[in-house]
Amino acid sequence: MKYRLGALIVAVVLLLSLAAPVWAQADPAGDLDGVWRSVGYGYVIEVQGDLLTIYGETAVSCQEWMQLTAAELGLTLTLDGDRLLATDEIGTYITAERLPALPELCTDGGTPVTDDPETNFEVFWHTFNEHYAFFELREVDWQAQYERYRPQVTADTTPDELFDVLAEMITPLEDGHVTLVSETDLFSPGLMPAWGAAEADLREVVLHEFDLLVHEYLHEDDAFLNEHFIVTDAGITVKSPVIYGELADEVGYINLISMVPPGEDLASAGEAIDEALAALAGKEALVIDVRFNSGGLDAVALIFASRFADAGRLAYSKHARVGDGFTLLRE
């Protein structure tokens, strides 16, 4: 497959959060106006009343990513001592330190967007080098990747060639949360699960698995399939993250297809799992199937797990990379 690269590549998902953070209304009681640099994540945030300008920063670049009003966004900004604290209901927790002014690279609109392949390579490599948290886990020497692939990029490198170089460079990460996006195509180095790795057509794999779920497990017909799934030539869209039925008279079955709420708020995820549990309340046993789960929000996973917890338990802990270390661990 060939790819076409448009201007500077910025759509790279490489932070610890599963959901990319957005920025929202500031605490009116706090003096939040000014410039802030996030601890980890690589953000510079300029707050001017309700207007927030968000930059993505590396040692060689600072690009303006968005400029939005507080009313358009979903986070709450507050002061925590002398730090800015950004939180939301899906688990985002980011702190930022005040700066006296915008960093020089961020001034006058930030680093210009360019088609220059060497500049784009440098920004791409530095973005990972400064903010990606899993090099050790993935056993990837990122400096060695630079030394191998940097000579392949010159002023004459075409957009297609650059995309191919960058895609090859990140392939050893084997990380499905990393995505390289051009104007027309995308590439992710994520590995296919074992049940689909041998198949050439992922859509056919997914169709087979959902056919198995509906017809073999739940013994339902195509009307049930059409009620819960939208099947097109492009793939399958699930109408609810919770599919349920019975495997036998005394055995209920719940398939958690994703961790994405079916409605506009988190409450809809709770409603979906509660509907399933109410329908299966008389069963002696439940089978909870997450084999085909496509991921989503931590908050939705917590909602589902809470229905099966008899006491408070640690669900997960999280910290963000900062230089050669990490922020304090949050549980």
Side-chain angles (χ1 to χ4, degrees):
M1 181 182 294
K2 281 295 181 182
Y3 307 88
R4 187 166 304 281
L5 186 71
L8 183 65
I9 298 170
V10 295
V12 182
V13 181
L14 47 84
L15 302 180
L16 290 176
S17 297
L18 293 180
V22 293
W23 300 90
Q25 187 164 355
D27 178 0
D31 181 12
L32 301 181
D33 278 10
V35 180
W36 304 83
R37 175 181 281 138
S38 65
V39 181
Y41 301 102
Y43 300 122
V44 171
I45 310 108
E46 184 175 19
V47 181
Q48 296 175 308
D50 282 345
L51 186 64
L52 308 176
T53 305
I54 315 300
Y55 299 84
E57 182 186 35
T58 74
V60 299
S61 65
C62 183
Q63 289 229 307
E64 183 180 317
W65 283 358
M66 64 185 76
Q67 189 175 69
L68 297 166
T69 65
E72 296 172 300
L73 302 168
L75 277 180
T76 298
L77 301 186
T78 56
L79 286 178
D80 181 14
D82 58 356
R83 286 189 171 190
L84 182 71
L85 176 62
T87 58
D88 69 8
E89 63 176 354
I90 64 172
T92 300
Y93 186 98
I94 296 175
T95 61
E97 298 173 340
R98 189 184 290 276
L99 298 178
L102 277 174
E104 184 176 352
L105 287 174
C106 302
T107 59
D108 300 323
T111 311
V113 175
T114 176
D115 286 320
D116 178 68
E118 293 180 291
T119 298
N120 283 329
F121 181 96
E122 291 291 337
V123 173
F124 185 90
W125 184 86
H126 275 277
T127 300
F128 277 87
N129 190 54
E130 296 171 33
H131 305 307
Y132 188 71
F134 303 119
F135 289 126
E136 182 177 354
L137 176 67
R138 304 293 180 176
E139 299 182 341
V140 173
D141 184 335
W142 194 240
Q143 182 62 43
Q145 293 297 89
Y146 182 92
E147 294 168 1
R148 176 180 178 182
Y149 289 100
R150 181 62 182 87
Q152 299 181 28
V153 179
T154 70
D156 297 324
T157 299
T158 68
D160 285 350
E161 291 169 342
L162 179 58
F163 196 105
D164 289 344
V165 168
L166 299 180
E168 187 175 342
M169 186 167 65
I170 63 176
T171 293
L173 296 176
E174 298 181 349
D175 188 343
H177 282 104
V178 171
T179 305
L180 172 65
V181 182
S182 76
E183 291 178 341
T184 58
D185 291 288
L186 61 83
F187 168 78
S188 174
L191 293 178
M192 282 287 296
W195 52 265
E199 299 292 338
D201 189 340
L202 176 59
R203 178 178 179 276
E204 293 304 316
V205 174
V206 174
L207 284 172
H208 171 74
E209 297 303 330
F210 281 87
D211 181 75
L212 184 70
L213 165 62
V214 172
H215 298 124
E216 299 298 326
Y217 292 177
L218 302 181
H219 305 290
E220 297 284 356
D221 56 20
D222 287 341
F224 181 92
L225 182 68
N226 294 332
E227 180 182 352
H228 292 87
F229 308 99
I230 301 173
V231 182
T232 67
D233 291 340
I236 293 180
T237 300
V238 183
K239 296 180 182 179
S240 172
V242 181
I243 308 300
Y244 64 91
E246 63 176 34
L247 299 179
D249 288 344
E250 300 303 328
V251 181
Y253 174 85
I254 297 177
N255 194 307
L256 301 178
I257 298 294
S258 76
M259 301 302 181
V260 177
E264 296 182 357
D265 54 34
L266 290 176
S268 63
E271 293 166 1
I273 188 66
D274 287 342
E275 175 187 315
L277 292 173
L280 302 172
K283 301 299 181 184
E284 293 184 0
L286 290 178
V287 173
I288 310 299
D289 191 347
V290 294
R291 290 174 297 167
F292 315 135
N293 191 282
S294 59
L297 303 180
D298 292 346
V300 172
L302 292 176
I303 288 172
F304 291 162
S306 71
R307 277 27 181 203
F308 303 96
D310 59 355
R313 290 181 171 85
L314 177 64
Y316 63 89
S317 57
K318 181 177 179 180
H319 54 183
R321 180 185 165 192
V322 182
D324 294 329
F326 291 86
T327 59
L328 294 176
L329 195 65
R330 288 190 54 78
E331 298 180 342

